[in-house]
Amino acid sequence: MSTDTDTDGPNEADARERLIDLAAEFYDQFAEGEVPTMAIPTRTKSNIEYDEDKDVWVYGDRQSTRSAKTVSGAQKLLKATYVIDFLAQQLEQDRSSTLRELYYLSESFDHEEAQFNSQDESNQLIEDLEIVSDVRREEFHMRPEESGATVMGPLLIREQTRRGEREIHCQEDVGEGGYQIPNNPDTIEFLENDADFVLCVETGGMRDRLVENGFDEEYNCIVVHLKGQPARATRRLTKRLRDELGLPVTVFTDGDPWSYRIYGSVAYGSIKSAHLSEYLATPDAQFIGIQPADIVEYDLPTDPLSDSDVNALESELEDPRFQTDYWREQIELQLDIDKKAEQQSLASRGLDFVTETYLPERLDEMTVI
């Protein structure tokens, strides 16, 4: 199989140059007697627009500005400058670091105002730099803490590592835990596969049930464990499996509003990473999770909706990612029955029900199998 990806990123030299160009813009503004600024798209639901050409949700035209006119704005630009310097050195030395390490590293910055008050603040700055430089953090050699997300299925890959190349079959060469997805899935080359589709699974318990029951072998399925809200690496690998191998993607989650958002992040992208939707989102991914209609049909064990669940469902009725007849019908039904259910609630009908009945019937209805 080809290793070409649909979105080529810059190499390390290009990434470093773009970062330095950002710092140079601040310098030029100073030199010309202007107040330094940096414009960032407003990262809110109201600034999300559907790109019909790319079939994903992206940021609109609204922007917020980091300006040195205010103390707060000046501190943000100062922190940006220090981080740019750190990242440029990191790239020059061919090193890498985690988002958590960057937060602690800031304590060594020689200007106290350049230090971060929380990791959320440093994470957001990295996202800002991604947007304005058009360079993904993976090209900055920045990585999150290990997500632990895994893949199990009939797929042979070649992985590029610091210790050289290695070939791995994601069934035959791994234990029951599966193959752990690396921080940058673009280092993976797909060599061979016998898969018919991809099944992304929210919870570890359900993922283990599928593997124990041999679902991946019986249905020639690549099982991707999302591990809750999926990391960028997980979404990127899922998109590559769809785009490069032509495999249909399905998403199997709990039946609650937070799990619907997990599906939404796989299919349409998330609000905080809308600048990467073309790189991460799989627009034709299909939802195969627990539906409110399933709760009624199978009389599944449930919990009542909390106030926050109700608020989240009502918010999703206005969310552009859920503006379809299907989602409106399901969400309104859930609000009506006032119940939610987990994937594991299917075990009330037997441990094999999910692999022998529920998933095969749903996949057949979707014409996936």
Side-chain angles (χ1 to χ4, degrees):
M1 294 288 177
S2 169
T3 62
D4 292 339
T5 62
D6 60 342
T7 305
D8 295 326
N11 59 33
E12 284 83 354
D14 289 338
R16 185 171 183 274
E17 183 176 354
R18 292 189 196 182
L19 286 168
I20 292 174
D21 285 346
L22 283 177
E25 286 182 23
F26 298 153
Y27 179 85
D28 290 343
Q29 288 172 332
F30 269 122
E32 294 171 8
E34 300 174 0
V35 176
T37 61
M38 183 169 68
I40 306 290
T42 303
R43 280 176 272 176
T44 62
K45 185 168 62 177
S46 61
N47 195 36
I48 294 289
E49 297 179 352
Y50 184 66
D51 187 320
E52 293 185 358
D53 294 331
K54 299 175 181 177
D55 204 23
V56 294
W57 295 95
V58 298
Y59 288 131
D61 295 330
R62 298 181 190 175
Q63 292 191 329
S64 58
T65 301
R66 311 278 190 267
S67 172
K69 284 184 179 179
T70 65
V71 172
S72 174
Q75 287 180 329
K76 288 179 179 178
L77 292 181
L78 177 66
K79 293 174 182 181
T81 303
Y82 270 80
V83 170
I84 287 171
D85 180 60
F86 164 73
L87 293 174
Q89 291 184 49
Q90 176 168 272
L91 288 168
E92 186 175 30
Q93 298 167 7
D94 193 24
R95 303 289 299 278
S96 65
S97 56
T98 67
L99 295 172
R100 188 65 173 169
E101 286 175 326
L102 174 61
Y103 164 60
Y104 284 120
L105 276 166
S106 75
E107 294 190 9
S108 66
F109 292 165
D110 57 16
H111 206 303
E112 187 174 346
E113 280 73 15
Q115 299 172 10
F116 294 111
N117 299 314
S118 68
Q119 187 176 342
D120 284 344
E121 185 183 16
S122 56
N123 287 355
Q124 182 173 343
L125 178 54
I126 289 294
E127 291 168 9
D128 289 346
L129 292 177
E130 279 188 314
I131 294 171
V132 296
S133 68
D134 196 26
V135 177
R136 299 188 299 270
R137 74 181 183 205
E138 290 80 6
E139 275 75 49
F140 292 159
H141 290 189
M142 292 299 304
R143 60 184 190 277
E145 301 305 314
E146 295 297 333
S147 72
T150 60
V151 172
M152 174 71 84
L155 174 69
L156 177 66
I157 65 171
R158 178 182 293 125
E159 182 182 8
Q160 303 287 340
T161 74
R162 285 183 175 271
R163 295 175 178 84
E165 297 180 348
R166 59 173 184 160
E167 292 187 6
I168 303 169
H169 192 281
C170 296
Q171 278 176 329
E172 299 171 2
D173 299 331
V174 297
E176 295 234 333
Y179 166 73
Q180 184 160 315
I181 300 171
N183 172 58
N184 186 359
D186 287 341
T187 62
I188 296 173
E189 179 182 358
F190 300 140
L191 299 178
E192 297 176 7
N193 87 92
D194 296 314
D196 293 328
F197 67 99
V198 177
L199 181 67
C200 299
V201 184
E202 175 183 356
T203 67
M206 181 54 70
R207 178 259 174 216
D208 292 345
R209 168 57 50 209
L210 299 182
V211 172
E212 181 177 315
N213 286 12
F215 188 81
D216 56 310
E217 295 176 315
E218 182 174 356
Y219 288 94
N220 297 324
C221 166
I222 296 177
V223 177
V224 177
H225 177 204
L226 298 177
K227 201 175 182 185
Q229 185 65 41
R232 284 167 42 156
T234 309
R235 287 181 281 156
R236 176 58 180 163
L237 180 63
T238 300
K239 178 175 177 61
R240 288 193 60 203
L241 290 170
R242 174 68 185 107
D243 291 353
E244 297 174 39
L245 302 185
L247 299 176
V249 172
T250 58
V251 184
F252 185 23
T253 73
D254 289 340
D256 63 57
W258 316 106
S259 297
Y260 305 153
R261 293 181 185 184
I262 288 174
Y263 161 73
S265 71
V266 173
Y268 309 121
S270 62
I271 291 174
K272 71 178 295 187
S273 61
H275 60 294
L276 297 171
S277 291
E278 187 180 3
Y279 171 78
L280 299 177
T282 306
D284 60 359
Q286 300 181 76
F287 180 75
I288 197 173
I290 303 298
Q291 308 168 105
D294 295 329
I295 295 174
V296 176
E297 179 180 354
Y298 297 115
D299 191 24
L300 297 176
T302 61
D303 291 311
L305 296 176
S306 66
D307 289 343
S308 61
D309 291 331
V310 172
N311 290 336
L313 287 168
E314 290 176 344
S315 175
E316 284 167 359
L317 285 173
E318 305 298 326
D319 190 319
R321 296 173 297 174
F322 295 94
Q323 294 304 301
T324 66
D325 291 340
Y326 168 79
W327 279 110
R328 280 192 291 272
E329 178 183 319
Q330 292 298 320
I331 292 172
E332 288 171 358
L333 174 60
Q334 188 151 34
L335 288 168
D336 183 52
I337 64 177
D338 194 32
K339 295 176 180 178
K340 60 184 177 181
E342 298 180 355
Q343 293 178 306
Q344 283 84 351
S345 67
L346 294 169
S348 65
R349 303 178 73 89
L351 289 178
D352 298 333
F353 178 74
V354 65
T355 53
E356 292 186 357
T357 304
Y358 181 79
L359 285 176
E361 288 183 355
R362 290 288 305 279
L363 289 165
D364 182 59
E365 290 171 4
M366 295 175 172
T367 67
V368 173
I369 60 173

